[in-house]
Amino acid sequence: MKIAFLGTGVMGAPMARHLAAAGHDVTVYNRTRSKAEATGLAVADTPAAAASGAQAVVACVGNDADLEQVTLGADGAFAAMDEGAVFIDHTTVSAHIARRLAAARALSVDAPVSGGQAGAEAGKLSIMCGGSDAALAAARPVMAAYAARIVHVGAAGAGQQTKMVNQICIAGVLEGVAEGLRFAQKSDLDLGRVLEAISGGAAQSWQMVNRWQSMAEDRFDFGFAIDWMRKDLGLALEEAKANGAMLPMTALVDQFYAEVQAIGGARQDTSALVRRLPK
């Protein structure tokens, strides 16, 4: 397929390369052109130029405003897309803009991902999708190049709401792991043996298995940045105001992350949450 990929950051660049490796003809666009050129793929000057003649247009940008700019803005992709082309958005944004884009273009899928940079590089992302059956049918062959799991959750916006559930759960788990780690340290326990003992039982989680050791070693310069996590939690908290959900833990952890930002952890991995707890 001829595919346009808009946004070649730490997530988008490897996803675009996986599409090319799968045999697709990929043209990329990025606001900072050097990042687009670093992919080694064909580069377009505007989202519209990238989207012209494409059978699928994929976006992985920063936030609602960025997404609106590359789709509906001046030189945006939507005006240049063929009628039968599918739009796939992997940005974590509000459910509101996902529904707005679906209203503007029927073959539109909100498809936020989970798995982080490592998942993108390995081509093993978990993708939660909102949109029509027809849109998902058109999008699946594209997403298959970098996905380990593709789940059609519901109508437009449901993918973004599911990503909010994902981030709500991660926030709570990480706070628990952080407190557990500090408790083990205060108790002078062997942290490796503690991990061995508890990671095989009901307390086990991806965060525990993959972040316990790095948290213990104060290594945080990798992974999913706290700045982005706070953006995601803000989306969840805003959506909760609309649907009436109570998110007291999420609101609390969001403020804990604000404390870590204030001590220089804005670009560190979300596991840097442990930094606010004294050793």
Side-chain angles (χ1 to χ4, degrees):
M1 297 173 65
K2 180 174 171 55
I3 298 174
F5 203 104
L6 314 177
T8 54
V10 295
M11 298 292 290
M15 294 161 75
R17 292 192 191 100
H18 281 300
L19 286 168
H24 300 295
D25 177 8
V26 183
T27 298
V28 299
Y29 164 80
N30 196 78
R31 187 165 49 193
T32 303
R33 186 180 176 88
S34 60
K35 291 185 177 180
E37 292 173 342
T39 65
L41 302 172
V43 179
D45 291 329
T46 66
S52 180
Q55 296 161 277
V57 176
V58 187
C60 189
V61 291
N63 54 36
D64 283 33
D66 296 330
L67 181 59
E68 182 176 15
Q69 181 181 15
V70 300
T71 54
L72 303 173
D75 293 321
F78 275 22
M81 289 175 68
D82 294 341
E83 184 177 346
V86 63
F87 176 68
I88 306 165
D89 176 37
H90 293 308
T91 317
T92 297
V93 288
S94 69
H96 170 75
I97 196 168
R99 298 186 189 106
R100 182 180 169 197
L101 296 181
R105 184 167 196 86
L107 288 180
S108 182
V109 180
D110 54 289
V113 302
S114 182
Q117 183 178 352
E121 291 174 349
K124 299 294 183 183
L125 291 167
S126 177
I127 308 179
M128 48 216 85
C129 303
S132 68
D133 289 341
L136 261 293
R140 279 185 185 274
V142 178
M143 298 187 293
Y146 43 78
R149 177 179 299 182
I150 301 170
V151 180
H152 186 189
V153 183
Q160 295 298 343
Q161 289 173 313
T162 302
K163 179 60 181 288
M164 294 172 198
V165 174
N166 187 79
Q167 303 304 72
I168 290 166
C169 293
I170 287 174
V173 169
L174 271 172
E175 178 61 19
V177 172
E179 292 182 14
L181 175 68
R182 286 292 191 252
F183 181 89
Q185 290 172 323
K186 292 284 190 180
S187 302
D188 294 323
L189 295 173
D190 183 310
L191 299 182
R193 292 187 180 183
V194 171
L195 177 62
E196 181 182 3
I198 67 176
S199 63
Q204 189 274 338
S205 67
W206 187 96
Q207 299 295 337
M208 177 182 289
V209 171
N210 291 277
R211 295 292 184 260
W212 179 274
Q213 187 62 35
S214 55
M215 289 165 76
E217 296 171 357
D218 295 323
R219 291 190 292 108
F220 309 110
D221 293 322
F222 59 89
F224 189 65
I226 286 173
D227 277 351
W228 293 113
M229 184 60 157
R230 288 211 69 207
K231 184 263 289 185
D232 292 357
L233 294 181
L235 291 170
L237 291 166
E238 190 64 28
E239 187 74 8
K241 293 178 183 177
N243 68 21
M246 294 182 63
L247 302 178
M249 179 278 300
T250 303
L252 184 61
V253 175
D254 179 57
Q255 291 308 300
F256 289 165
Y257 274 127
E259 294 179 24
V260 182
Q261 284 177 318
I263 59 174
R267 303 302 300 174
Q268 292 182 327
D269 181 69
T270 49
S271 58
L273 185 63
V274 75
R275 290 184 61 194
R276 64 173 296 278
L277 300 173
K279 293 183 180 180

